Amino acid sequence: MKTNDLSRRHFIGTVSLSTVGLAASGAIPVIGNTSGNTGKLAILGGDPVVKNKVWPQWPYIDEKMIAQVNETVKSGLWGRINNPKNGTVARFEEEYAKMIGVKGCVATGSGTQALNTVVEAMGIGPSDEVITSPYTDMGTIASILVSRALPVMADIDKESFQIDPDDVERKITKNTKAIMPVHMMGQPCHLERIIAIAKKHNLRVIEDACQAHFAQYQGKTIGTIGDAGCFSFQTSKTIACGEGGGIISNDEKLLDDCYTVQNHGTNKQGQSVTIGSKYRMNELEGALLLAQLSTARERFETRNRNAAYLTSKLKGFPGLRPQKLYEGTQSGSFYLYTMAYHQEHFNGAPRDKFIKAVAAEGISLSPYIRNGLHREPWTDHILTLNEYKTMYSSERLKKFKEELILPNCDHVCANMVMLWASGPLLAAESDMDDVINAIMKVYENRDKLNSI
Ligand SMILES: Cc1ncc(COP(=O)(O)O)c(C=O)c1O
């Protein structure tokens, strides 16, 4: 008898009638290679599904990276300006753009800086509006605020967790200059519709691809579809150097302007021509990035394979529904593997009890963003600032506040469960089975969840 048959037989033998019904209808995932731990919940004194689970180390470190950093340290050329053509930052920019198939890349000190550089290079500032998502890192919104433009929040989709194109279109005003869609968890948002809306209303598109390195959509790489794409290389990301960022584009003039902005307004010819902060990436960060590029694609593929495996195991299971991917999605970065938790299929147990029970089985899941950024105090703070009071009418600011009712974002914040994926999705398929088995063991015992 195959292991899966055994597991399924054992599983069905221990579950309630309603579960048997679901299994018979094909709605229960086939359990992976269990070690028989389908009995009492570990949180109630049973044996855990897995003991002392060790995931692949993140951030990724190898000898090539150490050697490149060593070499850069010894060179004493630590700033890109000391070695503008042959330094690690310049070589990384060239190599990253080549891998993605785009005209060029400008490195910065963070993803937030990359986004703000594009905002500035596009001339977006006070009295302008940029539509973005409340379900993101604060860096997205900060990149608009530091230019004293108005970040207008569009709600998200409950199944894909991505910005909702319909709400984007509703939020366009005569002052909207750009849309900043975010590819959350590293998977493409509904870019086809966003681009169509942008074209219709003559708006720029700045893709926040901070989590979405190498993701493919409709035959193109994420970040190359809008006017510019911005990446983060902060430690947790799937390509990482501590803090770092990058802008890619096929628009050479925009790339040139971005270089100038991130170089405190000084262009490649050495003339100080505009306003810009100093956002330069340093050579040690460049060394870490350059040295990991040759193996990054392999890790990307492993994450996609493991994500597809998890999703196949959860197919039809009503309790946890993996992030919906839009048609045209060929691959994702899988920075995070996320699922919508459906409490009603876990005997009404709140998400935190489910997470606690799964953790006791040896698998760490967690909520992601607990509060949409429309609920953070910055929305009140900007209303007190002279520049906002001067540059935006009181009616506009009142409308801005009134529009911060975003129920889908609130719903996703309250119900999302994630497996952090940068490291864990590099593990073996049997490790993915452990994840599924822990979830399913808790599901089998859902009638006990409310007592923990
Ligand atoms: C979606 C998104 N946008 C922007 C940022 C900001 O990037 P950084 O932290 O490198 O400034 C992040 C980082 O977490 C992010 O996840």
Side-chain angles (χ1 to χ4, degrees):
M1 188 183 287
K2 285 189 291 196
T3 319
N4 274 351
D5 295 339
L6 179 69
S7 308
R8 178 166 253 218
R9 197 172 56 125
H10 182 92
F11 174 45
I12 291 176
T14 61
V15 297
S16 67
L17 274 178
S18 65
T19 313
V20 173
L22 280 170
S25 71
I28 293 288
V30 176
I31 298 188
N33 301 316
T34 74
S35 48
N37 289 326
T38 49
K40 194 171 178 182
L41 286 177
I43 201 161
L44 297 175
D47 282 338
V49 167
V50 58
K51 284 192 185 130
N52 308 320
K53 179 125 214 110
V54 179
W55 292 106
Q57 179 193 19
W58 199 261
Y60 172 79
I61 302 167
D62 67 17
E63 289 308 317
K64 197 172 167 197
M65 290 164 75
I66 293 167
Q68 183 71 69
V69 171
N70 252 325
E71 190 187 305
T72 308
V73 170
K74 284 181 190 157
S75 76
L77 303 173
W78 297 345
R80 77 170 294 173
I81 237 64
N82 304 123
N83 197 4
K85 289 254 167 13
N86 298 316
T88 57
V89 176
R91 281 188 286 150
F92 166 72
E93 288 174 337
E94 201 181 321
E95 190 60 33
Y96 193 59
K98 206 189 312 164
M99 282 179 87
I100 286 180
V102 68
K103 286 233 169 96
C105 170
V106 176
T108 60
S110 70
T112 308
Q113 292 175 9
L115 289 163
N116 179 245
T117 297
V118 178
V119 167
E120 284 286 324
M122 286 180 173
I124 296 170
S127 84
D128 295 334
E129 301 177 16
V130 179
I131 302 175
T132 191
S133 170
Y135 193 70
T136 182
D137 181 78
M138 190 57 199
T140 310
I141 290 163
S143 77
I144 301 164
L145 287 173
V146 296
S147 292
R148 301 302 189 267
L150 188 66
V152 173
M153 305 280 96
D155 207 355
I156 60 171
D157 178 85
K158 270 193 196 166
E159 293 175 24
S160 68
F161 322 139
Q162 308 279 14
I163 194 165
D164 171 9
D166 289 333
D167 206 34
V168 168
E169 193 155 26
R170 269 193 293 274
K171 299 281 167 64
I172 293 172
T173 72
K174 63 181 184 358
N175 294 321
T176 307
K177 291 289 181 309
I179 306 170
M180 191 182 279
V182 189
H183 303 290
M184 283 307 280
M185 334 302 171
Q187 282 63 262
C189 71
H190 201 330
L191 214 43
E192 185 179 324
R193 289 225 33 230
I194 301 275
I195 297 285
I197 292 166
K199 279 202 173 119
K200 183 170 149 197
H201 297 272
N202 196 25
L203 304 173
R204 314 293 301 266
V205 176
I206 307 166
E207 289 181 63
D208 181 339
C210 281
Q211 302 183 353
H213 318 75
F214 297 152
Q216 291 278 319
Y217 176 75
Q218 297 184 341
K220 294 183 179 147
T221 305
I222 283 301
T224 66
I225 303 169
D227 293 279
C230 296
F231 296 87
S232 167
F233 305 118
Q234 173 268 340
T235 308
S236 67
K237 300 302 188 300
T238 56
I239 299 178
C241 67
E243 299 286 358
I247 302 155
I248 57 166
S249 181
N250 280 312
D251 177 341
E252 283 174 295
K253 159 92 172 65
L254 180 61
L255 283 170
D256 225 38
D257 291 346
C258 285
Y259 178 88
T260 303
V261 168
Q262 64 83 45
N263 191 34
H264 51 47
T266 303
N267 64 20
K268 284 186 178 153
Q269 294 72 44
Q271 295 166 305
S272 299
V273 291
T274 189
I275 300 171
S277 192
K278 191 176 166 205
Y279 286 163
R280 296 198 294 245
M281 178 180 279
N282 73 51
E283 291 286 292
L284 296 165
E285 292 161 337
L288 279 172
L289 291 174
L290 183 63
Q292 72 195 266
L293 277 188
S294 60
T295 52
R297 186 78 78 180
E298 201 179 300
R299 286 187 290 282
F300 168 82
E301 277 158 17
T302 304
R303 281 191 203 94
N304 271 277
R305 207 168 40 247
N306 277 327
Y309 183 76
L310 285 173
T311 299
S312 72
K313 292 287 167 183
L314 289 170
K315 189 158 187 259
F317 176 54
L320 281 178
R321 297 190 191 147
Q323 177 181 20
K324 173 184 147 185
L325 304 180
Y326 286 109
E327 210 181 313
T329 299
Q330 294 161 280
S331 54
S333 175
F334 288 99
Y335 167 59
L336 305 174
Y337 185 88
T338 51
M339 300 156 278
Y341 175 68
H342 286 265
Q343 184 168 342
E344 68 277 17
H345 293 289
F346 281 90
N347 198 32
R351 175 181 63 175
D352 285 352
K353 291 199 178 202
F354 164 76
I355 288 174
K356 233 164 113 181
V358 174
E361 299 302 334
I363 296 295
S364 175
L365 301 177
S366 64
Y368 183 33
I369 295 165
R370 283 188 182 266
N371 265 323
L373 295 175
H374 61 297
R375 293 192 169 272
E376 292 292 324
W378 68 269
T379 59
D380 287 323
H381 175 68
I382 63 170
L383 304 186
T384 68
L385 300 177
N386 275 339
E387 54 265 49
Y388 278 87
K389 285 197 280 192
T390 308
M391 297 309 299
Y392 301 86
S393 69
S394 53
E395 293 76 40
R396 179 63 189 104
L397 293 178
K398 186 163 168 277
K399 188 161 171 272
F400 162 75
K401 273 300 283 180
E402 284 167 0
E403 284 180 347
L404 296 175
I405 296 165
L406 304 167
N408 288 355
C409 181
D410 294 338
H411 178 88
V412 170
C413 288
N415 296 291
M416 151 87 65
V417 174
M418 70 158 193
L419 174 69
W420 182 45
S422 291
L425 280 200
L426 298 177
E429 196 174 274
S430 58
D431 295 298
M432 302 303 114
D433 285 335
D434 288 341
V435 174
I436 296 296
N437 288 335
I439 291 168
M440 296 317 300
K441 184 177 165 194
V442 171
Y443 179 69
E444 287 173 50
N445 288 281
R446 61 197 178 280
D447 58 327
K448 322 257 176 4
L449 278 181
N450 279 313
S451 66
I452 65 174

